[in-house]
Amino acid sequence: MKLSKILAIAGKPGLYILSGQAKNGLLVEGIDDGKKFPVFSHERVSSLEEISVFTEDQDMPLKEVFMAIKEKCNGEKAINHKSSADQLKTFMGEAIPSYDRDRVYVSDIKKMISWYNLLQANELLDFEDEDNEENENSENE
């Protein structure tokens, strides 16, 4: 699944898959419940591909964050996003040692871990296919 097709909508929990476009917005489908509904142009929608995490050197794309968490957890579910702040910070520090501890808040870590676990549970963490598609498309051009 391409991260550009997975959306976060401000004010709504969970993640959504872009399923189409409507006259005045987008049509999305909830990853966890499969319900389809329209999202209007006045709502704040972010593609996971656009999101990055502050590190000490430069910003790290969310895709790389998920891959680091996946590697740390051996492809299994990560810790619960409702764990204590100290546990969440320790986990994040082990997965991404260079994350900026001053600018990445516990609420951000909770959201990333929640998203990771949702994608992992629905087997949507296979971003390697996305890289291969991009490489094949550039070779064919």
Side-chain angles (χ1 to χ4, degrees), residues 106-124:
V106 172
S107 60
D108 300 327
I109 297 171
K110 284 182 179 187
K111 193 176 292 186
M112 285 185 281
I113 291 173
S114 170
W115 289 349
Y116 170 85
N117 285 335
L118 180 62
L119 293 173
Q120 191 274 338
N122 289 280
E123 299 178 1
L124 295 173

Side-chain angles (χ1 to χ4, degrees), residues 13-76:
L15 294 173
Y16 304 88
I17 297 175
L18 177 64
S19 59
Q21 290 196 303
K23 186 173 160 181
N24 55 354
L26 304 171
L27 294 174
V28 298
E29 179 179 342
I31 288 179
D32 52 351
D33 61 8
K35 291 183 182 177
K36 291 185 180 185
F37 60 92
V39 177
F40 301 103
S41 57
H42 68 274
E43 296 183 78
R44 285 192 345 224
V45 177
S46 299
S47 162
L48 294 192
E49 188 174 56
E50 300 168 349
I51 300 172
S52 60
V53 175
F54 296 116
T55 64
E56 293 166 358
D57 329 322
Q58 59 188 21
D59 293 351
M60 177 184 271
L62 193 57
K63 176 181 176 179
E64 291 178 23
V65 172
F66 286 156
M67 297 312 278
I69 293 172
K70 183 178 179 181
E71 187 176 313
K72 179 187 175 353
C73 298
N74 296 319
E76 299 297 317

